[in-house]
Amino acid sequence: MISFLSALPHVIVMSAEFITGITVNGFLIIINCKELIKSRKPTPVQLLFICIGMSRFGLLMVLMIQSFFSVLFPLFYKVNIFGTAMLFFWMFFSSVSFWFATCLSVFYCLKIAGFTQSCFLWLKFRISKLMPWLLLGSLLASMSIAALCIEADYPKKVDDDALKNATLKRTEPKIRQISEMLLVNLALLFPLAIFVMCTFMLFISLYKHTHRMQNGSHGVRNASTKAHINALKTVITFFCFFISYFAAFMANMTFSIPYGSHCFFVVKDIMAAFPSGHSIIILLSNSKYQQPFRRLLCFKKNQ
């Protein structure tokens, strides 16, 4: 049985991440839905931020349920928390969060990078029309990954009585189960590869831009340079959060970390930092959201 006092730091950290994530992602959803209702014509950025906010909201709820049961109902956690429904939602929201953030990186790259290749320009002028299809494709890909995890049936039920005297038979199913899950989750590296390519292209574009504009207008140079830097900040922080979440996620799925240990709770806290932290960076990198968010915080304080 886990001592509540030993898990108290985890409860505090997780609660702070949960409250922060719900506030920030809820703000992204509400403010963009409000703009969507006013304009009655969705823009790619509005669709992206609404989808990102909803996916992070769902992922936070799944992680919060896991953490809640791991501390207060450890027996239920061990037996039921990796059931079919919970595993499906966990995999779906994890995957779709990665894909939506990758779509945002692609959008930044196409809109900000100054390449003149015909293929790049074709995508640049059509990204607004392609974005709904990219988001739909992200949803379908995420559902497929989640369904494959259910098909892998992890963790499988193993008949202990039948395997009492066969140590090798006991280890082989476990290795096979872990291998299947690792194989399925390696599909999440595909959006990471797209993201890395977009980041690399932004770096090249920024480098070319600084050299090309040395003798040009300082106002134009500063505005374009600032756009490049803001986009790079967003995608680089996404990379850091992606890597940390993916490593913690894979460690958690292989069950190699003792349940109830300090590392077990650290892994949970690292995973919860992704849907909260990256959304904060998105909010801070967009000036039009900063003032409304400050007003929201002041309103809460006055109450």
Side-chain angles (χ1 to χ4, degrees), residues 156-175:
K156 288 182 172 63
K157 300 292 186 295
V158 180
D159 189 354
D160 293 333
D161 293 332
L163 301 177
K164 275 184 180 177
N165 300 320
T167 305
L168 183 60
K169 288 183 181 179
R170 280 199 306 268
T171 56
E172 282 180 354
K174 183 178 179 180
I175 294 172

mmCIF file with all atom_site columns, all heavy atoms in Angstrom, residues 156-175:
data_model
loop_
_atom_site.group_PDB
_atom_site.id
_atom_site.type_symbol
_atom_site.label_atom_id
_atom_site.label_alt_id
_atom_site.label_comp_id
_atom_site.label_asym_id
_atom_site.label_entity_id
_atom_site.label_seq_id
_atom_site.pdbx_PDB_ins_code
_atom_site.Cartn_x
_atom_site.Cartn_y
_atom_site.Cartn_z
_atom_site.occupancy
_atom_site.B_iso_or_equiv
_atom_site.pdbx_formal_charge
_atom_site.auth_seq_id
_atom_site.auth_comp_id
_atom_site.auth_asym_id
_atom_site.auth_atom_id
_atom_site.pdbx_PDB_model_num
ATOM 1   N N   . LYS A 1 156 ? -1.416 -8.712  -21.754 1.00 0.00 ? 156 LYS A N   1
ATOM 2   C CA  . LYS A 1 156 ? -2.175 -9.933  -21.959 1.00 0.00 ? 156 LYS A CA  1
ATOM 3   C C   . LYS A 1 156 ? -2.320 -10.695 -20.652 1.00 0.00 ? 156 LYS A C   1
ATOM 4   O O   . LYS A 1 156 ? -1.456 -10.654 -19.797 1.00 0.00 ? 156 LYS A O   1
ATOM 5   C CB  . LYS A 1 156 ? -1.467 -10.819 -22.982 1.00 0.00 ? 156 LYS A CB  1
ATOM 6   C CG  . LYS A 1 156 ? -1.550 -10.294 -24.409 1.00 0.00 ? 156 LYS A CG  1
ATOM 7   C CD  . LYS A 1 156 ? -0.866 -11.258 -25.333 1.00 0.00 ? 156 LYS A CD  1
ATOM 8   C CE  . LYS A 1 156 ? -1.101 -10.881 -26.779 1.00 0.00 ? 156 LYS A CE  1
ATOM 9   N NZ  . LYS A 1 156 ? -0.560 -9.618  -27.149 1.00 0.00 ? 156 LYS A NZ  1
ATOM 10  N N   . LYS A 1 157 ? -3.425 -11.400 -20.545 1.00 0.00 ? 157 LYS A N   1
ATOM 11  C CA  . LYS A 1 157 ? -3.644 -12.247 -19.385 1.00 0.00 ? 157 LYS A CA  1
ATOM 12  C C   . LYS A 1 157 ? -2.905 -13.565 -19.612 1.00 0.00 ? 157 LYS A C   1
ATOM 13  O O   . LYS A 1 157 ? -3.094 -14.234 -20.626 1.00 0.00 ? 157 LYS A O   1
ATOM 14  C CB  . LYS A 1 157 ? -5.139 -12.524 -19.198 1.00 0.00 ? 157 LYS A CB  1
ATOM 15  C CG  . LYS A 1 157 ? -5.956 -11.271 -18.993 1.00 0.00 ? 157 LYS A CG  1
ATOM 16  C CD  . LYS A 1 157 ? -5.632 -10.619 -17.663 1.00 0.00 ? 157 LYS A CD  1
ATOM 17  C CE  . LYS A 1 157 ? -6.550 -9.446  -17.374 1.00 0.00 ? 157 LYS A CE  1
ATOM 18  N NZ  . LYS A 1 157 ? -6.445 -8.330  -18.259 1.00 0.00 ? 157 LYS A NZ  1
ATOM 19  N N   . VAL A 1 158 ? -2.092 -13.933 -18.674 1.00 0.00 ? 158 VAL A N   1
ATOM 20  C CA  . VAL A 1 158 ? -1.311 -15.157 -18.795 1.00 0.00 ? 158 VAL A CA  1
ATOM 21  C C   . VAL A 1 158 ? -1.752 -16.123 -17.712 1.00 0.00 ? 158 VAL A C   1
ATOM 22  O O   . VAL A 1 158 ? -1.895 -15.743 -16.547 1.00 0.00 ? 158 VAL A O   1
ATOM 23  C CB  . VAL A 1 158 ? 0.207  -14.861 -18.665 1.00 0.00 ? 158 VAL A CB  1
ATOM 24  C CG1 . VAL A 1 158 ? 1.003  -16.142 -18.784 1.00 0.00 ? 158 VAL A CG1 1
ATOM 25  C CG2 . VAL A 1 158 ? 0.631  -13.858 -19.709 1.00 0.00 ? 158 VAL A CG2 1
ATOM 26  N N   . ASP A 1 159 ? -1.971 -17.347 -18.074 1.00 0.00 ? 159 ASP A N   1
ATOM 27  C CA  . ASP A 1 159 ? -2.419 -18.355 -17.130 1.00 0.00 ? 159 ASP A CA  1
ATOM 28  C C   . ASP A 1 159 ? -1.251 -18.792 -16.268 1.00 0.00 ? 159 ASP A C   1
ATOM 29  O O   . ASP A 1 159 ? -0.365 -19.539 -16.709 1.00 0.00 ? 159 ASP A O   1
ATOM 30  C CB  . ASP A 1 159 ? -2.984 -19.551 -17.908 1.00 0.00 ? 159 ASP A CB  1
ATOM 31  C CG  . ASP A 1 159 ? -3.665 -20.552 -16.980 1.00 0.00 ? 159 ASP A CG  1
ATOM 32  O OD1 . ASP A 1 159 ? -3.577 -20.356 -15.750 1.00 0.00 ? 159 ASP A OD1 1
ATOM 33  O OD2 . ASP A 1 159 ? -4.268 -21.513 -17.497 1.00 0.00 ? 159 ASP A OD2 1
ATOM 34  N N   . ASP A 1 160 ? -1.230 -18.321 -15.034 1.00 0.00 ? 160 ASP A N   1
ATOM 35  C CA  . ASP A 1 160 ? -0.105 -18.623 -14.148 1.00 0.00 ? 160 ASP A CA  1
ATOM 36  C C   . ASP A 1 160 ? -0.009 -20.108 -13.826 1.00 0.00 ? 160 ASP A C   1
ATOM 37  O O   . ASP A 1 160 ? 1.092  -20.655 -13.690 1.00 0.00 ? 160 ASP A O   1
ATOM 38  C CB  . ASP A 1 160 ? -0.236 -17.824 -12.842 1.00 0.00 ? 160 ASP A CB  1
ATOM 39  C CG  . ASP A 1 160 ? -0.064 -16.337 -13.078 1.00 0.00 ? 160 ASP A CG  1
ATOM 40  O OD1 . ASP A 1 160 ? 0.629  -15.981 -14.049 1.00 0.00 ? 160 ASP A OD1 1
ATOM 41  O OD2 . ASP A 1 160 ? -0.631 -15.540 -12.299 1.00 0.00 ? 160 ASP A OD2 1
ATOM 42  N N   . ASP A 1 161 ? -1.158 -20.792 -13.695 1.00 0.00 ? 161 ASP A N   1
ATOM 43  C CA  . ASP A 1 161 ? -1.124 -22.210 -13.358 1.00 0.00 ? 161 ASP A CA  1
ATOM 44  C C   . ASP A 1 161 ? -0.474 -23.029 -14.471 1.00 0.00 ? 161 ASP A C   1
ATOM 45  O O   . ASP A 1 161 ? 0.272  -23.970 -14.214 1.00 0.00 ? 161 ASP A O   1
ATOM 46  C CB  . ASP A 1 161 ? -2.552 -22.719 -13.119 1.00 0.00 ? 161 ASP A CB  1
ATOM 47  C CG  . ASP A 1 161 ? -3.154 -22.095 -11.866 1.00 0.00 ? 161 ASP A CG  1
ATOM 48  O OD1 . ASP A 1 161 ? -2.356 -21.749 -10.967 1.00 0.00 ? 161 ASP A OD1 1
ATOM 49  O OD2 . ASP A 1 161 ? -4.392 -21.942 -11.806 1.00 0.00 ? 161 ASP A OD2 1
ATOM 50  N N   . ALA A 1 162 ? -0.797 -22.639 -15.701 1.00 0.00 ? 162 ALA A N   1
ATOM 51  C CA  . ALA A 1 162 ? -0.252 -23.395 -16.825 1.00 0.00 ? 162 ALA A CA  1
ATOM 52  C C   . ALA A 1 162 ? 1.229  -23.140 -17.023 1.00 0.00 ? 162 ALA A C   1
ATOM 53  O O   . ALA A 1 162 ? 1.911  -23.923 -17.681 1.00 0.00 ? 162 ALA A O   1
ATOM 54  C CB  . ALA A 1 162 ? -1.013 -23.042 -18.106 1.00 0.00 ? 162 ALA A CB  1
ATOM 55  N N   . LEU A 1 163 ? 1.722  -22.035 -16.436 1.00 0.00 ? 163 LEU A N   1
ATOM 56  C CA  . LEU A 1 163 ? 3.122  -21.670 -16.666 1.00 0.00 ? 163 LEU A CA  1
ATOM 57  C C   . LEU A 1 163 ? 3.974  -21.787 -15.401 1.00 0.00 ? 163 LEU A C   1
ATOM 58  O O   . LEU A 1 163 ? 5.045  -21.203 -15.334 1.00 0.00 ? 163 LEU A O   1
ATOM 59  C CB  . LEU A 1 163 ? 3.190  -20.223 -17.193 1.00 0.00 ? 163 LEU A CB  1
ATOM 60  C CG  . LEU A 1 163 ? 2.446  -19.953 -18.486 1.00 0.00 ? 163 LEU A CG  1
ATOM 61  C CD1 . LEU A 1 163 ? 2.537  -18.478 -18.829 1.00 0.00 ? 163 LEU A CD1 1
ATOM 62  C CD2 . LEU A 1 163 ? 2.985  -20.790 -19.622 1.00 0.00 ? 163 LEU A CD2 1
ATOM 63  N N   . LYS A 1 164 ? 3.475  -22.499 -14.421 1.00 0.00 ? 164 LYS A N   1
ATOM 64  C CA  . LYS A 1 164 ? 4.194  -22.576 -13.147 1.00 0.00 ? 164 LYS A CA  1
ATOM 65  C C   . LYS A 1 164 ? 5.596  -23.138 -13.321 1.00 0.00 ? 164 LYS A C   1
ATOM 66  O O   . LYS A 1 164 ? 6.543  -22.635 -12.730 1.00 0.00 ? 164 LYS A O   1
ATOM 67  C CB  . LYS A 1 164 ? 3.401  -23.446 -12.167 1.00 0.00 ? 164 LYS A CB  1
ATOM 68  C CG  . LYS A 1 164 ? 2.325  -22.694 -11.413 1.00 0.00 ? 164 LYS A CG  1
ATOM 69  C CD  . LYS A 1 164 ? 1.649  -23.601 -10.408 1.00 0.00 ? 164 LYS A CD  1
ATOM 70  C CE  . LYS A 1 164 ? 0.569  -22.830 -9.661  1.00 0.00 ? 164 LYS A CE  1
ATOM 71  N NZ  . LYS A 1 164 ? -0.161 -23.703 -8.717  1.00 0.00 ? 164 LYS A NZ  1
ATOM 72  N N   . ASN A 1 165 ? 5.702  -24.187 -14.080 1.00 0.00 ? 165 ASN A N   1
ATOM 73  C CA  . ASN A 1 165 ? 6.967  -24.902 -14.196 1.00 0.00 ? 165 ASN A CA  1
ATOM 74  C C   . ASN A 1 165 ? 7.690  -24.586 -15.496 1.00 0.00 ? 165 ASN A C   1
ATOM 75  O O   . ASN A 1 165 ? 8.528  -25.361 -15.939 1.00 0.00 ? 165 ASN A O   1
ATOM 76  C CB  . ASN A 1 165 ? 6.723  -26.412 -14.101 1.00 0.00 ? 165 ASN A CB  1
ATOM 77  C CG  . ASN A 1 165 ? 6.082  -26.800 -12.788 1.00 0.00 ? 165 ASN A CG  1
ATOM 78  O OD1 . ASN A 1 165 ? 6.438  -26.265 -11.736 1.00 0.00 ? 165 ASN A OD1 1
ATOM 79  N ND2 . ASN A 1 165 ? 5.128  -27.731 -12.847 1.00 0.00 ? 165 ASN A ND2 1
ATOM 80  N N   . ALA A 1 166 ? 7.335  -23.482 -16.119 1.00 0.00 ? 166 ALA A N   1
ATOM 81  C CA  . ALA A 1 166 ? 7.972  -23.129 -17.399 1.00 0.00 ? 166 ALA A CA  1
ATOM 82  C C   . ALA A 1 166 ? 8.383  -21.680 -17.370 1.00 0.00 ? 166 ALA A C   1
ATOM 83  O O   . ALA A 1 166 ? 7.657  -20.806 -17.809 1.00 0.00 ? 166 ALA A O   1
ATOM 84  C CB  . ALA A 1 166 ? 7.027  -23.405 -18.554 1.00 0.00 ? 166 ALA A CB  1
ATOM 85  N N   . THR A 1 167 ? 9.559  -21.402 -16.847 1.00 0.00 ? 167 THR A N   1
ATOM 86  C CA  . THR A 1 167 ? 10.038 -20.022 -16.735 1.00 0.00 ? 167 THR A CA  1
ATOM 87  C C   . THR A 1 167 ? 10.194 -19.381 -18.100 1.00 0.00 ? 167 THR A C   1
ATOM 88  O O   . THR A 1 167 ? 9.868  -18.221 -18.308 1.00 0.00 ? 167 THR A O   1
ATOM 89  C CB  . THR A 1 167 ? 11.397 -19.996 -16.002 1.00 0.00 ? 167 THR A CB  1
ATOM 90  O OG1 . THR A 1 167 ? 11.237 -20.646 -14.750 1.00 0.00 ? 167 THR A OG1 1
ATOM 91  C CG2 . THR A 1 167 ? 11.873 -18.567 -15.807 1.00 0.00 ? 167 THR A CG2 1
ATOM 92  N N   . LEU A 1 168 ? 10.677 -20.157 -19.049 1.00 0.00 ? 168 LEU A N   1
ATOM 93  C CA  . LEU A 1 168 ? 10.872 -19.626 -20.387 1.00 0.00 ? 168 LEU A CA  1
ATOM 94  C C   . LEU A 1 168 ? 9.553  -19.221 -21.010 1.00 0.00 ? 168 LEU A C   1
ATOM 95  O O   . LEU A 1 168 ? 9.442  -18.185 -21.653 1.00 0.00 ? 168 LEU A O   1
ATOM 96  C CB  . LEU A 1 168 ? 11.566 -20.671 -21.262 1.00 0.00 ? 168 LEU A CB  1
ATOM 97  C CG  . LEU A 1 168 ? 11.917 -20.235 -22.695 1.00 0.00 ? 168 LEU A CG  1
ATOM 98  C CD1 . LEU A 1 168 ? 12.854 -19.038 -22.659 1.00 0.00 ? 168 LEU A CD1 1
ATOM 99  C CD2 . LEU A 1 168 ? 12.529 -21.387 -23.463 1.00 0.00 ? 168 LEU A CD2 1
ATOM 100 N N   . LYS A 1 169 ? 8.516  -20.040 -20.792 1.00 0.00 ? 169 LYS A N   1
ATOM 101 C CA  . LYS A 1 169 ? 7.196  -19.721 -21.338 1.00 0.00 ? 169 LYS A CA  1
ATOM 102 C C   . LYS A 1 169 ? 6.602  -18.487 -20.688 1.00 0.00 ? 169 LYS A C   1
ATOM 103 O O   . LYS A 1 169 ? 5.801  -17.793 -21.284 1.00 0.00 ? 169 LYS A O   1
ATOM 104 C CB  . LYS A 1 169 ? 6.258  -20.903 -21.150 1.00 0.00 ? 169 LYS A CB  1
ATOM 105 C CG  . LYS A 1 169 ? 6.584  -22.073 -22.056 1.00 0.00 ? 169 LYS A CG  1
ATOM 106 C CD  . LYS A 1 169 ? 5.564  -23.176 -21.869 1.00 0.00 ? 169 LYS A CD  1
ATOM 107 C CE  . LYS A 1 169 ? 5.892  -24.364 -22.767 1.00 0.00 ? 169 LYS A CE  1
ATOM 108 N NZ  . LYS A 1 169 ? 4.907  -25.458 -22.583 1.00 0.00 ? 169 LYS A NZ  1
ATOM 109 N N   . ARG A 1 170 ? 6.998  -18.242 -19.441 1.00 0.00 ? 170 ARG A N   1
ATOM 110 C CA  . ARG A 1 170 ? 6.479  -17.043 -18.773 1.00 0.00 ? 170 ARG A CA  1
ATOM 111 C C   . ARG A 1 170 ? 7.128  -15.780 -19.320 1.00 0.00 ? 170 ARG A C   1
ATOM 112 O O   . ARG A 1 170 ? 6.507  -14.745 -19.387 1.00 0.00 ? 170 ARG A O   1
ATOM 113 C CB  . ARG A 1 170 ? 6.725  -17.124 -17.255 1.00 0.00 ? 170 ARG A CB  1
ATOM 114 C CG  . ARG A 1 170 ? 5.725  -17.982 -16.530 1.00 0.00 ? 170 ARG A CG  1
ATOM 115 C CD  . ARG A 1 170 ? 5.715  -17.649 -15.044 1.00 0.00 ? 170 ARG A CD  1
ATOM 116 N NE  . ARG A 1 170 ? 7.023  -17.734 -14.448 1.00 0.00 ? 170 ARG A NE  1
ATOM 117 C CZ  . ARG A 1 170 ? 7.516  -18.838 -13.872 1.00 0.00 ? 170 ARG A CZ  1
ATOM 118 N NH1 . ARG A 1 170 ? 6.804  -19.949 -13.847 1.00 0.00 ? 170 ARG A NH1 1
ATOM 119 N NH2 . ARG A 1 170 ? 8.718  -18.828 -13.344 1.00 0.00 ? 170 ARG A NH2 1
ATOM 120 N N   . THR A 1 171 ? 8.408  -15.877 -19.652 1.00 0.00 ? 171 THR A N   1
ATOM 121 C CA  . THR A 1 171 ? 9.130  -14.688 -20.109 1.00 0.00 ? 171 THR A CA  1
ATOM 122 C C   . THR A 1 171 ? 8.828  -14.364 -21.563 1.00 0.00 ? 171 THR A C   1
ATOM 123 O O   . THR A 1 171 ? 8.789  -13.208 -21.953 1.00 0.00 ? 171 THR A O   1
ATOM 124 C CB  . THR A 1 171 ? 10.640 -14.874 -19.933 1.00 0.00 ? 171 THR A CB  1
ATOM 125 O OG1 . THR A 1 171 ? 11.044 -16.059 -20.629 1.00 0.00 ? 171 THR A OG1 1
ATOM 126 C CG2 . THR A 1 171 ? 10.995 -14.999 -18.458 1.00 0.00 ? 171 THR A CG2 1
ATOM 127 N N   . GLU A 1 172 ? 8.599  -15.399 -22.396 1.00 0.00 ? 172 GLU A N   1
ATOM 128 C CA  . GLU A 1 172 ? 8.385  -15.156 -23.815 1.00 0.00 ? 172 GLU A CA  1
ATOM 129 C C   . GLU A 1 172 ? 7.134  -14.325 -24.094 1.00 0.00 ? 172 GLU A C   1
ATOM 130 O O   . GLU A 1 172 ? 7.188  -13.379 -24.885 1.00 0.00 ? 172 GLU A O   1
ATOM 131 C CB  . GLU A 1 172 ? 8.306  -16.489 -24.567 1.00 0.00 ? 172 GLU A CB  1
ATOM 132 C CG  . GLU A 1 172 ? 9.680  -17.105 -24.787 1.00 0.00 ? 172 GLU A CG  1
ATOM 133 C CD  . GLU A 1 172 ? 9.589  -18.422 -25.536 1.00 0.00 ? 172 GLU A CD  1
ATOM 134 O OE1 . GLU A 1 172 ? 8.438  -18.881 -25.761 1.00 0.00 ? 172 GLU A OE1 1
ATOM 135 O OE2 . GLU A 1 172 ? 10.625 -18.959 -25.898 1.00 0.00 ? 172 GLU A OE2 1
ATOM 136 N N   . PRO A 1 173 ? 5.976  -14.618 -23.449 1.00 0.00 ? 173 PRO A N   1
ATOM 137 C CA  . PRO A 1 173 ? 4.807  -13.753 -23.688 1.00 0.00 ? 173 PRO A CA  1
ATOM 138 C C   . PRO A 1 173 ? 5.039  -12.323 -23.266 1.00 0.00 ? 173 PRO A C   1
ATOM 139 O O   . PRO A 1 173 ? 4.596  -11.388 -23.930 1.00 0.00 ? 173 PRO A O   1
ATOM 140 C CB  . PRO A 1 173 ? 3.703  -14.410 -22.854 1.00 0.00 ? 173 PRO A CB  1
ATOM 141 C CG  . PRO A 1 173 ? 4.129  -15.834 -22.712 1.00 0.00 ? 173 PRO A CG  1
ATOM 142 C CD  . PRO A 1 173 ? 5.615  -15.783 -22.635 1.00 0.00 ? 173 PRO A CD  1
ATOM 143 N N   . LYS A 1 174 ? 5.758  -12.127 -22.157 1.00 0.00 ? 174 LYS A N   1
ATOM 144 C CA  . LYS A 1 174 ? 6.015  -10.769 -21.690 1.00 0.00 ? 174 LYS A CA  1
ATOM 145 C C   . LYS A 1 174 ? 6.874  -10.003 -22.696 1.00 0.00 ? 174 LYS A C   1
ATOM 146 O O   . LYS A 1 174 ? 6.607  -8.848  -23.023 1.00 0.00 ? 174 LYS A O   1
ATOM 147 C CB  . LYS A 1 174 ? 6.704  -10.813 -20.324 1.00 0.00 ? 174 LYS A CB  1
ATOM 148 C CG  . LYS A 1 174 ? 6.932  -9.426  -19.740 1.00 0.00 ? 174 LYS A CG  1
ATOM 149 C CD  . LYS A 1 174 ? 7.574  -9.529  -18.378 1.00 0.00 ? 174 LYS A CD  1
ATOM 150 C CE  . LYS A 1 174 ? 7.819  -8.126  -17.796 1.00 0.00 ? 174 LYS A CE  1
ATOM 151 N NZ  . LYS A 1 174 ? 8.449  -8.190  -16.471 1.00 0.00 ? 174 LYS A NZ  1
ATOM 152 N N   . ILE A 1 175 ? 7.923  -10.684 -23.201 1.00 0.00 ? 175 ILE A N   1
ATOM 153 C CA  . ILE A 1 175 ? 8.787  -10.034 -24.191 1.00 0.00 ? 175 ILE A CA  1
ATOM 154 C C   . ILE A 1 175 ? 7.993  -9.724  -25.452 1.00 0.00 ? 175 ILE A C   1
ATOM 155 O O   . ILE A 1 175 ? 8.114  -8.662  -26.051 1.00 0.00 ? 175 ILE A O   1
ATOM 156 C CB  . ILE A 1 175 ? 9.995  -10.943 -24.516 1.00 0.00 ? 175 ILE A CB  1
ATOM 157 C CG1 . ILE A 1 175 ? 10.894 -11.074 -23.274 1.00 0.00 ? 175 ILE A CG1 1
ATOM 158 C CG2 . ILE A 1 175 ? 10.791 -10.379 -25.682 1.00 0.00 ? 175 ILE A CG2 1
ATOM 159 C CD1 . ILE A 1 175 ? 11.998 -12.086 -23.447 1.00 0.00 ? 175 ILE A CD1 1
#
